[in-house]
Amino acid sequence: MSEALGETVRIKSTNNVGGGCINHASKLQTTAGTWFLKWNANCPSDMFEREAEGMNELGRAANGGLRIPEVLCHKAPDHTPGFLVMEYLPPGRSVNDDEKLGRGLAAIHRFRGDAFGFYHDNYCGDTPQSNQQSTDWLTFFREQRLANLLHMIESDRGLSSSDRKVYDRLLDKLPKLIPGESDPVLIHGDLWSGNYMLTTDGPALIDPAAYYADREMEFAIMTMFGGFSSRFFEAYNESFPLDSEWRSRNMLYQLYHILNHYYLFGGGYGSQALSVARSYL
């Protein structure tokens, strides 16, 4: 922190902050203000660097709309834990939070890239996420999202030949299920209700798995677990209307996150993923 701020910083007090399932987190009171710290002794060496990269990109796209905590510094784990230090945003509520969240996310989704993917591979939760760039959304979604994750599941958990055939049939059918034309826009990538927070300055996004995608991909995990009001969706569509048939593709895009949950946690997510795949055949 001292090096990043160009001054000697002393920590006055720390308070544990709950809510995370992967990393530890604390609120730091220092001689240079209040900061948010997350740390982990056993995470991949580039996890916090990749998170910082995603936060910085979201900050560029938000352009003062949604609050994106400013990253101060980060460190890879070595003989001491890795960490990420960010701006601390005081929790609270403001007027019309759901509307602000909808319009703010729509603004981020107008931030276009040159290709689908991202500058580096990153992580969705604890799962490595391949971001090899492509100018074609179908190719990116098929290869870097579904096929890549299925390969990891097959290697680490095993996949029966009958189940593999179902997924292979779905991969072959994708050109009939996904529109041919799509724009690469920035998405948060893991936007469930635990990855946005309400602050005294308005809604904020945290813990991204950011990349450039068809924006319908954003709504996959958002609709899996709920937590987004009808006013949020109204405000989003007032600002940047979704295609009238987006919900017909929603479960197809959810499949990536269901497979990811199966990869991470096992259990009933495997049968749920297979059911979704079969529903599109």
Side-chain angles (χ1 to χ4, degrees), residues 54-67:
M55 295 290 285
N56 290 335
E57 195 79 349
L58 284 170
R60 290 177 58 211
N63 194 28
L66 292 181
R67 294 288 282 115

Side-chain angles (χ1 to χ4, degrees), residues 6-109:
E7 61 181 275
T8 300
V9 178
R10 291 186 296 103
I11 296 176
K12 298 162 66 176
S13 65
T14 65
N15 298 97
N16 290 337
V17 177
C21 59
I22 298 175
N23 302 298
H24 306 284
S26 294
K27 174 184 176 183
L28 300 181
Q29 298 281 2
T30 79
T31 53
T34 305
W35 302 91
F36 178 82
L37 166 73
K38 59 194 304 186
W39 79 96
N40 194 320
N42 299 304
C43 64
S45 62
D46 65 342
M47 176 172 277
F48 290 127
E49 182 179 6
R50 299 285 79 85
E51 181 175 346
E53 187 175 60
M55 295 290 285
N56 290 335
E57 195 79 349
L58 284 170
R60 290 177 58 211
N63 194 28
L66 292 181
R67 294 288 282 115
I68 310 296
E70 183 179 348
V71 174
L72 177 64
C73 57
H74 55 81
K75 184 187 87 68
D78 44 34
H79 59 281
T80 60
F83 64 76
L84 177 67
V85 178
M86 296 181 291
E87 174 186 11
Y88 177 78
L89 301 179
R93 298 192 68 92
S94 62
V95 179
N96 300 325
D97 279 323
D98 288 358
E99 180 176 341
K100 290 177 181 176
L101 183 60
R103 295 189 184 281
L105 186 63
I108 288 174
H109 288 173

Side-chain angles (χ1 to χ4, degrees), residues 186-234:
L186 186 65
I187 68 170
H188 175 284
D190 192 18
L191 190 52
W192 61 290
S193 60
N195 282 348
Y196 78 86
M197 59 183 292
L198 301 180
T199 80
T200 53
D201 291 332
L205 302 186
I206 56 175
D207 297 345
Y211 61 100
Y212 288 86
D214 184 303
R215 64 188 172 121
E216 290 182 8
M217 189 71 187
E218 188 85 277
F219 296 92
I221 197 164
M222 293 174 67
T223 53
M224 273 180 65
F225 300 119
F228 298 87
S229 70
S230 59
R231 183 57 194 136
F232 160 84
F233 282 100
E234 289 167 0

Side-chain angles (χ1 to χ4, degrees), residues 115-181:
F116 299 99
F118 208 53
Y119 311 115
H120 302 99
D121 294 347
N122 52 22
Y123 300 87
C124 187
D126 230 4
T127 304
Q129 180 168 257
S130 174
N131 287 322
Q132 182 177 327
Q133 292 184 321
S134 172
T135 56
D136 178 65
W137 170 242
L138 168 63
T139 300
F140 180 84
F141 179 66
R142 181 180 60 210
E143 300 301 327
Q144 308 309 321
R145 289 295 169 264
L146 294 186
N148 188 65
L149 187 49
L150 285 166
H151 175 72
M152 290 194 293
I153 291 171
E154 197 165 26
S155 297
D156 293 359
R157 287 193 173 275
L159 201 60
S160 71
S161 59
S162 59
D163 289 357
R164 181 76 233 197
K165 287 178 182 177
V166 171
Y167 290 120
D168 286 343
R169 287 173 59 201
L170 177 64
L171 294 177
D172 290 341
K173 192 178 178 182
L174 284 180
K176 297 180 180 179
L177 302 173
I178 295 177
E181 296 295 324

